[in-house]
Amino acid sequence: MSSQAAIESKKACAHCGLPVPKRRMLQDPAFCCHGCETVYQVLQNEGLNETYYRLREASSSRSLRLPARTKLNEPLLDELDSDVFAESHSVPLDGGVHRTHLYLDGVHCAACVWLIERMPQEISGVRSAYLNLPRARLTLEWDPSKAKLSSIARWLARFGYGVESRVDGEEAPETREERRLLIKMGISWALAGNIMLIAFALYSGLDSETPGLFKAARWTSFALAIPSLLVGGSVFFSRAFQSVRSAYHVRSFKQLHMDTPISLGILVGFIASAWATFTGTGDVWFDSISVLIAALLSARWLQLRARRLAGNSTEQLLALIPSIARREDELGGITKVRTEDLQVDDVVVVRPGELIPADGSILSGSALINAAILTGESKPERKEIGDKVFAGTTSESEVLRIRVHAIGVHSHVGKLLSWVSEDRSERPVILSWVNQVGGWFTAASLTLALLTAGIWWVIDAQSIVPHVISLLVITCPCALGMATPLALAVGMGRAARNGIFIKSEAVLEWLTKVNVVVLDKTGTVTEGQMAVEQTELIDASRSVNDIMLKAASLESQSIHPISQAFLQWADGQQVDEPVDVSYEPGHGISGQVAGQFIRVGSPDWIGIDEDCFESERHFAAYKAALAAGQTVVVVEIDGRAAAWVSLSDPLRKNAASLVSNMQQKGLKVILCSGDHQSTTSKTGKALGLSEADCLGRFTPHMKKDLIAKLIGEGNVVAMIGDGVNDSAALQTAHVGIAVTDGTSASRQAADAFTTRSGLEAIAELFQESGKVMRVIFRNLYFSLGYNAFGATLAIMGLVTPIVAAIAMPVSSLWVVISSITQRTFVPKS
């Protein structure tokens, strides 16, 4: 082949950047394979090529081959469009839209994120697409009537992104990056071992006894170091090169990756050793370089593996559900089946000590149930016939027969998993700060390397290379990069095991900055178990029993605590089925009952004044109930007020201590309720709040506006609530916290959710978040101090390259141990 052809054969692929093989030169010299050619043409045809390749080049973290054409899995495509998949793995939203999560193969960098998240503009029927890059998890909202999931998967495959068969609740398999690093690590250690054997011979005096063998040993080490450099070192070189290019383009040291000083150290050592080999003078460091590469690859592989396992922490909730269940047939026979094969209304048998496989109700038996997985409380609770039990909890005493209500992702623990797994794009501020510091720290390491070279040029020029290598390696900010995300991940995992579920890492940081807390009243600081205290007629022509039964009929369609009070009053009496029911959050409920239009709600919504009462005495009784701090609702029948009902709702036993604790920490606490002002004020007084901080007659919209106003004044606001009428406020606040027994709407809007009864979990969340942040700062201070100390020793010439390679991962190991052993969210005995 001519020299010109040889040069052309090294041409880089226009898509992935890899060299074009010789066999492709006669077909299309621009691409290394047919897959790259296909994807490149698709991007060009769709008009997406310019931005995609610009983002790809700007990505400093890219270390994998870019996606090429993906082979379609036809059985999987059929499964995506099946009714079984729709029922099991998608959630219906408003307007016929569904949401699901898909795991993708082949996503690597910012270009992949940009391309995939353009899907709503490219496919009709797709409302939104959000890609969580670290988990390769696509959150998709689409209209099945306009776009099939199989069509979406085919669109993704055109660009090289394959849809995996894994779904939420399954552990992520080993990634291609892990497998690639593992192979490179094995090769690097094999090469390093052989080079070290040669080095032992050299260190034993081989040069003085047999000069010929000495020279041969050096050349053999050089030959073995080349594949070590190309195979193992390429991992660091590619990222370093990309980060240097990115830093040059944006003119900022912040873009420098931690692999930059490592790569420079390896190259300096290799070039100096190669020069010594060719000239026959000076020392060689092939053994140090090869061991350094192998050790760094091992540390990198362990970090990747730890990150994957940490990413699976929430999915492991579903792993606690047993894979096998005992199903009872119609004749009473018992058959072992897979848990996923259970159906609603099946009957399962659970023996003492076994995990309950599905949500359901007890048909026969009575047992102590340990629900620590859901509540964090280790003390078991006795459950009787008719009581509900949940998947993943343990029967500790007797045999139970359970009627299945929900399985897998539709179970209580499955819904918790879906809630926790919802993607939030917000990143902790401290994590962004650490990333910026990492860039500057890398630049500082390079500056110190030049300083070290200058110092040792004067002292001993022969020692420049090992000391510079030692400095560049020991100052690698790996621990600095691990300090924050690892501590946050462990803290969130510990909180989940203690009955506190946190949706975003940023929540832990925001909680340490909160200075205003807005509390809902009913169901949050009160028990939420209302009881009817007094019923007084406004329309004397009607009977109390008739009015209350009609109100109870209407309230049977709601889960609000007030509704439960009416149903408790009815105490099993026959009620009519309401129609055309409408719920007005913060106001009340309306509908048709037995041909009459009924409204039950707040006095302001109904429109009660003194003229509605037959006498001043009746009005005075009504005012007295309000003044006593009781919750008062009015029942209206066919446009006329019929009666008013007062309800009591006792404070939670620890509500006052929670408020007192917050105030002692300097937090401003505001009680905000849709109840009458006098009722809200009385509750606030019992909590130790001033009149000015008790806000009554607040609609959901007013609560939201209050939060927005407080934020606009520069406050960091936390909202604690439990009902549908709190959802907008929970979403508006910096941190929204939904208490146990809250509605699904409030949990959906919240950033944190407790499954333990009472408010102790709320107090614990505030307190332990501060502890997690202290662990983070402890890790950061140690990492910076350790690197500074190591740099000092390296500049002084007290550290060799091998010692530096061993010492560098020590700081990462300390950070891992510090994060894993943190004493946060410790379960209460």
Side-chain angles (χ1 to χ4, degrees):
M1 186 174 63
S2 66
S3 59
Q4 179 64 29
I7 293 174
E8 290 180 352
S9 68
K10 297 180 181 179
K11 183 177 180 180
C13 174
H15 176 61
C16 71
L18 295 178
V20 177
K22 296 178 182 179
R23 65 178 184 277
R24 290 280 303 174
M25 296 305 297
L26 297 177
Q27 303 173 30
D28 190 335
F31 302 99
C32 67
C33 64
H34 179 66
C36 285
E37 180 182 1
T38 302
V39 173
Y40 183 89
Q41 291 174 352
V42 170
L43 288 168
Q44 194 171 39
N45 294 339
E46 298 289 339
L48 306 173
N49 56 318
E50 183 178 345
T51 303
Y52 176 85
Y53 289 111
R54 177 173 55 81
L55 288 172
R56 187 204 74 183
E57 291 300 326
S59 175
S60 62
S61 62
R62 174 183 165 268
S63 62
L64 291 173
R65 180 187 176 107
L66 291 175
R69 186 179 180 86
T70 296
K71 186 177 180 180
L72 290 172
N73 184 342
E74 294 295 341
L76 176 60
L77 295 182
D78 295 337
E79 180 185 343
L80 291 176
D81 291 334
S82 67
D83 293 337
V84 174
F85 185 91
E87 294 175 3
S88 304
H89 307 307
S90 69
V91 178
L93 305 176
D94 295 336
V97 175
H98 286 238
R99 178 193 294 133
T100 192
H101 302 296
L102 301 175
Y103 288 87
L104 306 183
D105 186 26
V107 292
H108 306 130
C109 61
C112 301
V113 176
W114 174 82
L115 182 60
I116 291 171
E117 292 187 352
R118 276 195 58 84
M119 193 187 301
Q121 287 79 44
E122 303 297 326
I123 302 179
S124 176
V126 177
R127 187 166 76 175
S128 70
Y130 171 74
L131 178 66
N132 184 318
L133 183 59
R135 299 178 63 191
R137 183 173 183 264
L138 174 63
T139 301
L140 186 70
E141 293 184 3
W142 89 108
D143 186 345
S145 66
K146 297 180 181 178
K148 292 184 176 181
L149 273 181
S150 59
S151 301
I152 294 172
R154 291 179 189 278
W155 185 87
L156 290 167
R158 294 173 64 199
F159 303 103
Y161 306 115
V163 176
E164 296 182 358
S165 58
R166 179 165 60 101
V167 296
D168 280 333
E170 295 182 13
E171 186 172 304
E174 184 182 41
T175 62
R176 287 191 300 176
E177 173 75 342
E178 281 184 69
R179 292 192 295 271
R180 190 179 70 94
L181 273 181
L182 187 60
I183 294 172
K184 288 179 178 286
M185 185 178 73
I187 295 173
S188 297
W189 274 117
L191 293 168
N194 284 280
I195 295 174
M196 285 298 296
L197 289 174
I198 297 172
F200 289 149
L202 293 175
Y203 296 150
S204 300
L206 182 66
D207 55 338
S208 60
E209 297 178 2
T210 52
L213 286 177
F214 171 76
K215 183 179 291 187
R218 279 198 165 193
W219 279 101
T220 304
S221 297
F222 171 71
L224 292 173
I226 292 175
S228 176
L229 198 74
L230 296 177
V231 175
S234 61
V235 173
F236 311 106
F237 298 151
S238 60
R239 291 187 177 181
F241 178 70
Q242 292 291 344
S243 74
V244 171
R245 288 184 59 182
S246 179
Y248 174 77
H249 285 311
V250 300
R251 304 295 193 273
S252 173
F253 285 113
K254 298 177 183 178
Q255 300 296 322
L256 288 176
H257 194 271
M258 65 181 67
D259 284 345
T260 305
I262 291 177
S263 300
L264 185 60
I266 293 172
L267 285 175
V268 168
F270 179 79
I271 292 171
S273 300
W275 176 258
T277 301
F278 278 98
T279 61
T281 59
D283 296 323
V284 296
W285 306 96
F286 294 126
D287 53 340
S288 299
I289 293 168
S290 60
V291 172
L292 173 63
I293 290 173
L296 291 175
L297 283 176
S298 300
R300 186 66 52 85
W301 179 77
L302 289 172
Q303 288 177 10
L304 271 180
R305 180 176 173 83
R307 186 176 68 181
R308 173 173 61 85
L309 295 178
N312 287 331
S313 59
T314 53
E315 277 83 350
Q316 289 171 357
L317 283 171
L318 282 185
L320 295 175
I321 299 177
S323 58
I324 300 296
R326 292 184 178 87
R327 182 168 60 190
E328 181 181 287
D329 59 30
E330 296 178 355
L331 301 177
I334 303 297
T335 306
K336 288 186 177 181
V337 298
R338 294 187 305 170
T339 301
E340 56 263 35
D341 291 334
L342 290 175
Q343 302 291 329
V344 174
D345 289 334
D346 279 350
V347 176
V348 295
V349 176
V350 180
R351 297 175 180 175
E354 293 183 342
L355 292 168
I356 296 174
D359 290 359
S361 57
I362 298 176
L363 293 178
S364 65
S366 172
L368 291 172
I369 302 297
N370 189 326
I373 178 182
L374 300 178
T375 65
E377 297 179 4
S378 58
K379 185 178 180 180
E381 181 181 356
R382 178 160 292 280
K383 297 291 184 179
E384 308 285 349
I385 294 176
D387 289 341
K388 292 182 179 180
V389 291
F390 300 103
T393 58
T394 306
S395 172
E396 294 193 345
S397 52
E398 303 176 23
V399 175
L400 297 178
R401 294 176 63 249
I402 299 171
R403 174 80 68 185
V404 173
H405 294 165
I407 310 102
V409 294
H410 296 289
S411 65
H412 187 67
V413 68
K415 290 177 180 177
L416 279 176
L417 169 65
S418 300
W419 179 86
V420 174
S421 299
E422 282 188 358
D423 298 301
R424 291 290 180 97
S425 57
E426 185 178 17
R427 290 164 58 87
V429 176
I430 191 171
L431 194 55
S432 301
W433 176 82
V434 168
N435 291 338
Q436 294 178 8
V437 170
W440 286 107
F441 197 89
T442 300
S445 298
L446 299 176
T447 304
L448 287 176
L450 294 176
L451 177 63
T452 303
I455 292 174
W456 283 95
W457 179 270
V458 176
I459 300 174
D460 180 10
Q462 293 291 327
S463 302
I464 292 177
V465 172
H467 294 330
V468 169
I469 294 174
S470 300
L471 177 100
L472 291 171
V473 171
I474 205 169
T475 56
C476 174
C478 296
L480 186 67
M482 294 174 62
T484 299
L486 186 58
L488 288 171
V490 172
M492 290 174 63
R494 288 183 177 274
R497 288 193 294 272
N498 207 22
I500 303 172
F501 292 84
I502 301 170
K503 187 176 293 185
S504 166
E505 295 171 334
V507 171
L508 293 172
E509 183 178 9
W510 278 118
L511 283 170
T512 63
K513 300 178 179 180
V514 166
N515 65 329
V516 178
V517 177
V518 178
L519 292 170
D520 174 52
K521 185 180 78 69
T522 305
T524 302
V525 297
T526 65
E527 293 286 354
Q529 297 177 354
M530 289 186 160
V532 174
E533 292 289 330
Q534 182 181 2
T535 303
E536 295 289 343
L537 291 174
I538 298 176
D539 183 354
S541 64
R542 299 185 180 275
S543 69
V544 169
N545 191 69
D546 178 64
I547 294 171
M548 291 296 287
L549 284 178
K550 283 183 168 57
S553 299
L554 186 60
E555 296 285 4
S556 66
Q557 302 301 303
S558 173
I559 59 172
H560 193 278
I562 290 178
S563 303
Q564 302 310 306
F566 276 92
L567 293 175
Q568 186 180 13
W569 182 94
D571 193 23
Q573 297 184 60
Q574 183 66 37
V575 295
D576 296 317
E577 184 71 23
V579 295
D580 299 330
V581 177
S582 176
Y583 178 63
E584 296 289 335
H587 296 294
I589 189 170
S590 62
Q592 296 281 342
V593 178
Q596 294 179 304
F597 182 69
I598 312 294
R599 287 202 303 166
V600 181
S602 66
D604 291 335
W605 186 52
I606 300 296
I608 289 294
D609 56 27
E610 188 174 357
D611 295 337
C612 297
F613 293 86
E614 294 185 349
S615 68
E616 187 175 332
R617 179 176 61 84
H618 287 89
F619 182 65
Y622 166 74
K623 297 292 287 185
L626 292 175
Q630 295 178 338
T631 297
V632 175
V633 296
V634 177
V635 182
E636 179 190 81
I637 301 177
D638 287 336
R640 182 176 178 181
W644 60 268
V645 182
S646 67
L647 306 105
S648 62
D649 187 13
L651 282 177
R652 293 185 186 267
K653 63 180 181 180
N654 47 19
S657 62
L658 172 68
V659 172
S660 175
N661 182 266
M662 289 179 172
Q663 290 174 329
Q664 289 174 8
K665 293 181 179 178
L667 304 181
K668 180 180 177 63
V669 181
I670 299 173
L671 183 65
C672 189
S673 173
D675 265 342
H676 195 277
Q677 179 61 49
S678 60
T679 304
T680 307
S681 297
K682 181 177 181 181
T683 303
K685 184 178 180 180
L687 293 172
L689 297 176
S690 65
E691 182 74 25
D693 292 330
C694 300
L695 308 177
R697 294 183 173 178
F698 260 61
T699 64
H701 185 72
M702 292 169 68
K703 289 182 180 181
K704 178 184 176 181
D705 289 345
L706 171 66
I707 301 289
K709 178 176 179 291
L710 291 169
I711 292 174
E713 294 172 353
N715 297 295
V716 179
V717 183
M719 170 69 193
I720 305 174
D722 77 314
V724 173
N725 56 347
D726 299 320
S727 299
L730 288 168
Q731 277 192 317
T732 305
H734 289 99
V735 179
I737 305 172
V739 300
T740 185
D741 299 327
T743 64
S744 58
S746 67
R747 292 196 298 269
Q748 192 75 15
D751 301 295
F753 169 60
T754 68
T755 58
R756 286 158 46 193
S757 59
L759 295 175
E760 293 96 338
I762 303 295
E764 184 179 335
L765 177 59
F766 275 85
Q767 177 180 338
E768 301 302 307
S769 295
K771 289 184 180 180
V772 173
M773 295 306 296
R774 286 194 289 273
V775 171
I776 291 172
F777 283 112
R778 181 179 70 197
N779 290 347
L780 291 176
Y781 293 148
F782 175 82
S783 302
L784 292 171
Y786 185 91
N787 284 1
F789 179 69
T792 302
L793 294 180
I795 293 173
M796 295 172 64
L798 301 178
V799 179
T800 66
I802 293 181
V803 172
I806 296 172
M808 187 274 289
V810 169
S811 58
S812 298
L813 179 62
W814 190 92
V815 165
V816 170
I817 294 174
S818 171
S819 298
I820 292 176
T821 59
Q822 61 179 274
R823 299 291 294 170
T824 59
F825 295 100
V826 179
K828 302 292 188 295
S829 57

